[in-house]
Amino acid sequence: MTEASKSWVAVLVIVLAGLLVYSNNYKGEFIWDDYDTIVEHPDIRSLSSIPKLFWSGPDSYNTPLSGRPTVALSFALNYAVNGLDVRGYHLVNNIIHILAAMALFAIIRCTLLLPRFRTRFGAGVNGYALAVAILWLVHPLQTEAVDYITQRTETLMGLFYFLTLFFAAAGFQSARPKGWFAGAVIACGLGMGSKEVMVSAPLLVLLYDRFFVADSFRDALRQRRGFYAALASTWILLFVYQIGSSRSETVAFDLEGLTPLDYLRTQFGVVLHYLRLSFWPKPLVLDYQDWQIVREFSGAAVVPGFILGAMVLSTIWGLRRLAWWAVPGVLFFTVLAPTSSVLPVFTELASERRMYMP
């Protein structure tokens, strides 16, 4: 069997595994934010309203779609095809998750075919990439992001984040990289319209370039200055999407009753909880409204803070030494940072869907 055939077999396995594992969620109903984002949202009910989705303005609905036009557009298309039949929304969520796993497979495969890894891993590249993608695809911790329809904000962001990295990685190895780089910029722009966590994607692409391809950051920027300029321009899109967004009502430094320091102390325990669920995903919880805010440096903050601090320092040490194993650590902390550091999110101190990519 040729390598190309093995790749297609691996893709088929990913598709079948995803369809099987999430085959029971079609019986799920609309819950909580689904009513604001789908059932009662007037701007997804007509394709003529689609232009409004790209400019939230003073969003009187205060929904998770505010400032996230890519996700809003996907819901509008969903509604145009099957109205309020919940099965269609679950199907699209499942497909997005499967596509994200395929993109992750492609990233791992592309990376292991780089000169520095090819000799050691090249012969089994499809097997290694499939193992990573399948584990990520079927991991129970992904349940909330996939099954809770509104959390398409998370899964679409993850899909476009992975696609940005894959297209960039493929471009770094291609004799004709322009098409790949254009794909990376488009994916990054769509990701910026899915969720704000996408903000770190251009930096992660540069980091990938430096670790695995270029001799220095200066070299990477000099050789591909046009690509990085285009990639950085997607930050403008993110800024535009957030103008007039209602996100500031729930995410801000000056929220009453929750200071940035309180939030940071609380997140030490939250992130450690996420890590435990990564290895032992039980119990899984949809609503963490009873998670206690840590308002002083007690054991609840110091112990997990010490553990996470050691992890951060190890990642920084690896980063300085350009050790490949530091890249997952950088990705983990970078993607979690916007929601799990010092910027308070008053409505949710903890949420398992935030671990979708990390």
Side-chain angles (χ1 to χ4, degrees):
M1 184 181 294
T2 65
E3 287 302 313
S5 298
K6 291 178 182 178
S7 297
W8 283 113
V9 169
V11 168
L12 179 61
V13 171
I14 291 171
V15 172
L16 293 177
L19 292 176
L20 177 63
V21 168
Y22 287 96
S23 61
N24 66 343
N25 69 1
Y26 299 102
K27 296 180 290 185
E29 299 295 331
F30 294 119
I31 62 171
W32 296 347
D33 287 339
D34 294 342
Y35 287 93
D36 292 328
T37 57
I38 302 168
V39 180
E40 299 171 1
H41 201 302
D43 291 339
I44 72 162
R45 294 176 176 271
S46 171
L47 294 180
S48 63
S49 298
I50 285 179
K52 294 182 182 179
L53 302 176
F54 285 84
W55 176 260
S56 58
D59 187 358
S60 57
Y61 309 113
N62 189 21
T63 76
L65 300 187
S66 179
R68 297 166 176 174
T70 305
V71 185
L73 177 59
S74 77
F75 281 136
L77 294 174
N78 240 149
Y79 189 90
V81 173
N82 58 279
L84 291 177
D85 186 343
V86 71
R87 293 171 297 181
Y89 296 89
H90 281 299
L91 175 61
V92 172
N93 274 27
N94 293 347
I95 291 173
I96 291 170
H97 185 49
I98 291 170
L99 290 174
M102 291 165 60
L104 178 58
F105 168 83
I107 293 170
I108 302 297
R109 186 179 186 279
C110 194
T111 302
L112 294 182
L113 287 175
L114 288 167
R116 66 179 297 183
F117 297 118
R118 183 189 292 271
T119 302
R120 183 176 179 186
F121 299 105
V125 64
N126 290 300
Y128 293 123
L130 179 61
V132 173
I134 287 291
L135 179 59
W136 182 84
L137 174 74
V138 304
H139 198 292
L141 191 51
Q142 308 290 38
T143 304
E144 179 190 347
V146 181
D147 283 353
Y148 186 177
I149 298 172
T150 294
Q151 303 320 320
R152 186 178 298 180
T153 55
E154 198 78 44
T155 57
L156 264 183
M157 181 277 297
L159 170 60
F160 290 126
Y161 207 123
F162 283 148
L163 284 175
T164 300
L165 287 171
F166 165 61
F167 287 141
F172 295 152
Q173 301 182 49
S174 174
R176 297 181 177 179
K178 290 184 178 179
W180 292 111
F181 289 163
V185 173
I186 292 170
C188 196
L190 290 170
M192 295 294 181
S194 301
K195 194 170 184 180
E196 298 74 25
V197 176
M198 190 74 188
V199 67
S200 62
L203 298 177
L204 261 295
V205 171
L206 177 60
L207 185 67
Y208 182 101
D209 190 355
R210 172 63 188 96
F211 264 64
F212 302 131
V213 183
D215 293 329
S216 67
F217 284 112
R218 180 177 298 179
D219 257 4
L221 293 170
R222 180 178 55 81
Q223 294 172 17
R224 291 175 273 277
R225 62 168 63 91
F227 169 54
Y228 284 114
L231 208 57
S233 71
T234 60
W235 283 327
I236 300 174
L237 284 178
L238 180 62
F239 174 77
V240 171
Y241 292 151
Q242 297 311 305
I243 295 176
S245 169
S246 60
R247 197 76 53 225
S248 60
E249 296 180 17
T250 56
V251 182
F253 284 107
D254 57 352
L255 293 175
E256 185 177 352
L258 185 63
T259 68
L261 186 56
D262 288 342
Y263 191 76
L264 177 63
R265 283 189 290 246
T266 304
Q267 289 307 301
F268 290 154
V270 170
V271 175
L272 206 61
H273 176 68
Y274 292 158
L275 286 170
R276 185 190 68 77
L277 289 177
S278 297
F279 291 95
W280 188 256
K282 184 180 180 180
L284 296 178
V285 179
L286 181 61
D287 184 0
Y288 282 94
Q289 289 297 327
D290 59 346
W291 194 283
Q292 295 297 310
I293 298 175
V294 181
R295 300 191 183 278
E296 58 184 22
F297 281 106
S298 60
V302 173
V303 174
F306 178 82
I307 295 172
L308 291 177
M311 292 178 63
V312 170
L313 290 175
S314 297
T315 300
I316 294 173
W317 182 77
L319 188 62
R320 289 176 62 87
R321 293 172 59 87
L322 295 179
W324 65 266
W325 51 261
V327 175
V330 172
L331 179 62
F332 176 84
F333 288 112
T334 301
V335 175
L336 267 184
T339 55
S340 303
S341 54
V342 296
L343 180 58
V345 183
F346 188 79
T347 52
E348 289 181 306
L349 294 174
S351 179
E352 291 171 4
R353 67 177 177 272
R354 292 174 185 164
M355 280 292 287
Y356 185 72
M357 274 196 63

